[in-house]
């Protein structure tokens, strides 16, 4: 008889609730635009107000505001009684994740099917995209029909539409299980549906009941293998979904997302199988920790009393990290710096004092980290081996991350005060590793920065694996970061 004792210690109700918060947020956020909107809704529900860039000149002590750019990146802040004098505490994460992105003129009729021409956004683990239903979500620009703007942007999710990327049967490639090179231009063509006949304008419209389907079918345009120039299926789908005329659709960005709902897994349901853990896995605890730090009901609301840090608290959720951050809504921009500077100037700061404000400021760049994979343990460093549900990870890699001894010390003090265990990560010396928004952001905003993240497995897969307890640790650590007087 085995003496092995399965640890069935349940998670606390508070820890489990943070896990539910994670899964609910992911389910509502199939792409960066929707994630930005979900974060904004949570902030508004907790007393924050959405403002415009021009409103920054009216900043005052007590403000709890946020702004967005491109509908996919967000900066939120609260101004305490110490105003800018004690600097800023900034939590930075990113909202985008690897995906397939729909190309313009994307529909091709081939072999009686409609297939979708896609590009690759970021660096996805491509084999995880095959043979699973994929939804499409993003943003659409429409004619505004008003004097204030030429167009307006509208979020869209084409559910219940699902596309699928079928694999080649093993009978045609007996070496498939030995590894297959994915020829992106040739095989990243998900199947949308059957064309049913050779005179196709949009077969997909038959099940969406697009308003102008009958009129379209009357046309005799032959669209077989035409490279997509006349197959306006997505325009039809968007028109039906948004209840707008096709001619009002100016452009759109659509990306794939995993249709299966995120879920708890494991003996004690202590793990989460979910898409977009990179980097919603750190953005979501950042949102909840930031809200808690600005609430009288937070876990540490009465810990420091009148000594609590009461300066400028900032939440920064960027877009486009997965493609290098070099956009107006990405971290490789002055947007965060100019926002913080504008707030401080409005509060009465002489411009010459801004370098001193930065000297007193610190940022946590929160992106996920690599846990040791039990089946590929040799890829982990010999002495730095993060594990799931054993706490956030201090990420160190000269040239890739901007963690140094001083910023690491600050983070260690935060985790210690929050009662959160801490792990460390460095790549093997012969593996280069990746980077994130920390070094990019601090090139524009020269402040102390520490790169951290929760450990996950299967990073950049359609479904990544994360720890429920780690998400709770990150949330309470984030709240402590905003509250602790000295770090």
């Amino acid at each position: 008889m085995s003496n092995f004792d399965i640890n069935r210690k349940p998670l606390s109700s508070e820890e489990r609730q943070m896990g539910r918060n994670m899964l609910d947020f992911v389910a509502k956020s199939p792409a960066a635009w929707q994630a930005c909107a979900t974060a904004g809704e949570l902030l508004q529900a907790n007393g924050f107000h959405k403002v415009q860039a021009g409103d920054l000149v009216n900043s005052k002590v007590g403000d709890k505001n946020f702004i967005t750019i491109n509908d996919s990146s967000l900066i939120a802040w609260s101004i305490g009684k110490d105003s800018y004098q004690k600097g800023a505490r900034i939590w930075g994460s990113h909202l985008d994740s690897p995906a397939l992105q729909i190309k313009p003129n994307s529909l091709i009729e081939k072999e009686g099917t409609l297939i979708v021409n896609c590009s690759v956004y970021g660096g996805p683990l491509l084999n995880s995209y095959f043979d699973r239903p994929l939804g499409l979500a993003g943003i659409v620009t429409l004619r505004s029909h008003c004097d204030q703007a030429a167009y307006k942007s509208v979020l869209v999710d084409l559910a219940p539409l699902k596309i699928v990327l079928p694999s080649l049967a093993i009978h045609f490639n007996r070496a498939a299980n030995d590894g297959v090179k994915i020829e992106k231009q040739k095989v990243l063509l998900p199947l949308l549906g059957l064309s049913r006949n050779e005179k196709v304008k949009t077969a997909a419209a038959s099940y969406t009941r697009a308003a102008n389907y009958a009129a379209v079918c009357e046309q005799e345009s032959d669209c077989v293998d035409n490279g997509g120039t006349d197959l306006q299926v997505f325009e039809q789908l968007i028109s039906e979904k948004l209840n707008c005329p096709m001619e009002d659709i100016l452009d759109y960005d659509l990306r794939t997302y995993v249709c299966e709902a995120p879920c708890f897994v494991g003996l004690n349901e202590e793990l989460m199988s979910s898409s977009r853990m990179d980097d919603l896995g750190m953005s979501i605890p950042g949102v909840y920790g930031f809200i808690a730090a600005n609430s009288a009901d937070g876990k540490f609301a009465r810990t420091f009393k009148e000594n609590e840090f009461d300066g400028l608290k900032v939440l920064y959720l960027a877009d486009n990290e997965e493609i290098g951050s070099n956009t107006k809504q990405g971290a490789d921009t002055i947007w965060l710096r100019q926002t913080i500077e504008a707030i401080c100037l409005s509060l009465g700061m002489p411009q010459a004092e801004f370098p001193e404000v930065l000297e007193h400021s610190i940022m946590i760049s929160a992106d996920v980290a690599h846990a040791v994979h039990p089946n590929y343990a040799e890829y982990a460093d010999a002495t730095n081996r993060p594990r799931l549900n054993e706490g956030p990870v201090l990420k160190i890699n000269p040239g890739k991350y901007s963690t140094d001894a001083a910023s690491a010390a600050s983070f260690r003090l935060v985790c210690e005060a929050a009662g959160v265990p801490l792990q460390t990560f460095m790549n093997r010396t012969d593996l280069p590793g990746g980077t994130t928004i920390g070094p990019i952001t601090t090139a524009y905003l020269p402040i102390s920065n520490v790169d951290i993240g929760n450990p996950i497995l299967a990073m950049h897969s359609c479904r990544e694996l994360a720890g429920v307890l780690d998400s709770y640790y990150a949330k309470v650590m984030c709240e402590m970061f905003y509250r602790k007087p000295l770090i």
Side-chain angles (χ1 to χ4, degrees), residues 140-388:
V140 179
T141 50
L142 302 173
R143 298 180 196 276
S144 66
H145 298 292
C146 71
D147 296 333
Q148 286 72 39
Y151 65 88
K152 61 181 178 180
S153 298
V154 181
L155 304 188
V156 68
D157 182 346
L158 295 183
L161 173 70
K162 301 175 183 66
I163 61 177
V164 68
L165 191 59
S167 294
L168 179 67
I170 196 169
H171 308 80
F172 298 120
N173 182 6
R174 296 289 181 177
N177 289 329
D178 299 324
V180 176
K181 177 179 173 59
I182 297 175
E183 300 177 66
K184 297 176 184 176
Q185 183 63 39
K186 179 179 179 180
V187 302
L188 293 184
L189 301 168
L191 192 152
L192 175 67
L194 303 179
S195 60
R196 296 189 177 86
N197 60 63
E198 292 185 351
K199 294 187 180 297
V200 178
K201 189 70 177 181
T202 168
S206 63
Y207 65 82
T208 65
R209 296 182 174 86
N212 57 349
Y213 175 61
V216 170
C217 286
E218 290 178 0
Q219 300 182 24
E220 296 298 325
S221 172
D222 188 348
C223 302
V224 177
D225 290 329
N226 67 350
T229 56
D230 291 324
L231 297 175
Q232 296 181 303
V233 175
F234 287 117
E235 286 80 359
Q236 290 271 353
L237 295 170
I238 293 168
S239 170
E240 175 70 12
K241 192 73 177 181
L242 300 181
N243 193 27
C244 68
M246 271 183 61
E247 55 268 23
D248 279 357
I249 300 169
L250 298 173
D251 215 324
Y252 53 84
D253 286 324
L254 294 175
R255 292 182 196 152
T256 58
Y257 68 89
V258 175
C259 293
E260 303 101 324
C263 62
F264 296 120
V265 297
L267 279 171
N268 301 311
E269 294 193 322
E270 73 275 37
L271 303 173
M272 297 177 289
S273 173
S274 173
S275 61
R276 293 181 29 80
M277 282 290 99
D278 184 4
D279 186 30
L280 294 187
M282 297 310 293
S283 296
I284 301 168
V287 172
Y288 278 93
F290 178 72
I291 289 170
N294 288 283
S295 167
D297 299 324
K299 183 178 180 67
F300 305 114
R302 287 163 288 281
T303 301
F304 303 107
K305 300 180 180 177
E306 68 275 3
N307 294 321
E308 180 177 305
F309 174 78
D310 204 13
L312 187 59
K313 299 173 184 175
V314 180
L315 173 69
Y316 177 42
L317 304 177
D319 190 10
N320 297 143
E321 188 273 347
E322 298 293 353
I323 56 171
S325 298
N326 190 20
T327 62
K328 68 181 185 301
Q329 61 270 10
D332 197 3
T333 175
I334 64 169
W335 186 47
L336 178 61
R337 179 192 175 104
Q338 72 181 15
T339 299
I340 293 174
E341 188 170 17
I343 292 169
C344 292
L345 289 170
S346 180
L347 292 170
M349 178 199 74
Q351 192 160 25
E353 291 184 13
F354 193 53
E356 186 178 356
V357 173
L358 298 181
E359 187 176 342
H360 296 307
S361 300
I362 184 170
M363 175 173 167
I364 288 181
S365 169
D367 204 340
V368 287
H370 295 288
V372 177
H373 196 305
N375 300 333
Y376 303 94
E378 67 273 17
Y379 288 98
D381 181 62
T383 59
N384 297 278
R385 306 172 73 80
R387 297 180 178 180
L388 298 175

Side-chain angles (χ1 to χ4, degrees), residues 14 41 44 51 138 185 224 253 273 339 363 397 408 452 471 482:
E14 193 177 7
E41 289 167 4
Q44 287 177 312
V51 299
Q185 183 63 39
V224 177
D253 286 324
S273 173
T339 299
M363 175 173 167
N397 191 348
I452 66 106
S471 67
Y482 285 120

Side-chain angles (χ1 to χ4, degrees), residues 42-63:
L42 282 170
L43 289 167
Q44 287 177 312
N46 286 275
F48 285 78
H49 306 282
K50 185 174 183 180
V51 299
Q52 304 301 317
D55 297 322
L56 297 178
V57 298
N58 300 315
S59 298
K60 62 186 183 301
V61 170
D63 279 354

Side-chain angles (χ1 to χ4, degrees), residues 469-480:
L469 191 54
D470 287 327
S471 67
Y472 171 76
Y473 284 148
K475 181 234 179 177
V476 298
M477 175 270 293
C478 178
E479 181 188 349
M480 178 58 73

